[in-house]
Amino acid sequence: MAVAADLDHATDSQWDWVAEHTRKYLASGGTEGHERNGVHTLVLATTGRKSGEARRTCLIYGTSGEDFVVVASKGGSDQHPSWFTNLVADPSVGVQVGPRRFTARARIATPEERPALWTQMAGIFPLYNEYKEKTEREIPIVLLTPQD
């Protein structure tokens, strides 16, 4: 079960540029890295479904009411990103948005929610539409609901 405190000791993404962005974001207390290339990012900590260890990554986000919205695109890969499969196994996650840290509960958007959320997120990051065309899988949209 990942919680906000896991953000400090979690293992970084395997992608060097993501790991560097994440470390800079956290080291600055969220003042650097929250906005990157014109989009807003958050740091997500999940529990590894096999290892049981905390893992972290940075993701582009949007909002829907009190929820934060992220897209499990993996650049249009035919496989889900590890952070997504981890939160499916254990939906308790740690999140940092700017300076704000909290524990959240993750859930996949319902079929009814999905069209509007996809439009919103593709408006924030248009490459999501290209990623969608590269894969046969339906790219999941995840809502993160703060618990504290």
Side-chain angles (χ1 to χ4, degrees):
M1 178 170 100
V3 295
D6 290 327
L7 291 161
D8 291 323
H9 61 82
T11 301
D12 285 322
S13 169
Q14 66 181 348
W15 306 103
D16 290 340
W17 66 273
V18 176
E20 182 180 326
H21 180 200
T22 303
R23 286 191 295 270
K24 183 177 184 178
Y25 195 122
L26 295 173
S28 72
T31 61
E32 294 182 47
H34 179 238
E35 184 177 334
R36 181 181 172 116
N37 299 326
V39 296
H40 289 102
T41 61
L42 57 74
V43 181
L44 176 73
T46 61
T47 301
R49 67 195 176 289
K50 295 178 186 174
S51 68
E53 296 179 17
R55 310 270 184 203
R56 66 187 182 193
T57 192
C58 272
L59 300 167
I60 294 168
Y61 76 90
T63 58
S64 178
E66 297 295 315
D67 295 338
F68 293 87
V69 182
V70 294
V71 178
S73 66
K74 197 175 182 182
S77 170
D78 288 330
Q79 299 169 350
H80 294 305
S82 295
W83 64 262
F84 175 76
T85 54
N86 288 343
L87 66 75
V88 167
D90 183 349
S92 179
V93 297
V95 179
Q96 182 159 339
V97 178
R100 179 182 174 203
R101 281 186 174 206
F102 54 92
T103 300
R105 183 131 187 106
R107 69 175 179 86
I108 300 168
T110 66
E112 295 77 25
E113 294 170 311
R114 184 177 169 72
L117 291 173
W118 183 269
T119 299
Q120 174 190 349
M121 294 306 294
I124 291 169
F125 190 68
L127 285 175
Y128 287 141
N129 286 323
E130 289 181 30
Y131 298 165
K132 184 170 85 169
E133 297 303 317
K134 291 169 71 174
T135 184
E136 302 265 329
R137 74 180 170 97
E138 181 175 79
I139 296 174
I141 299 173
V142 177
L143 291 98
L144 307 171
T145 304
Q147 301 296 295
D148 50 307

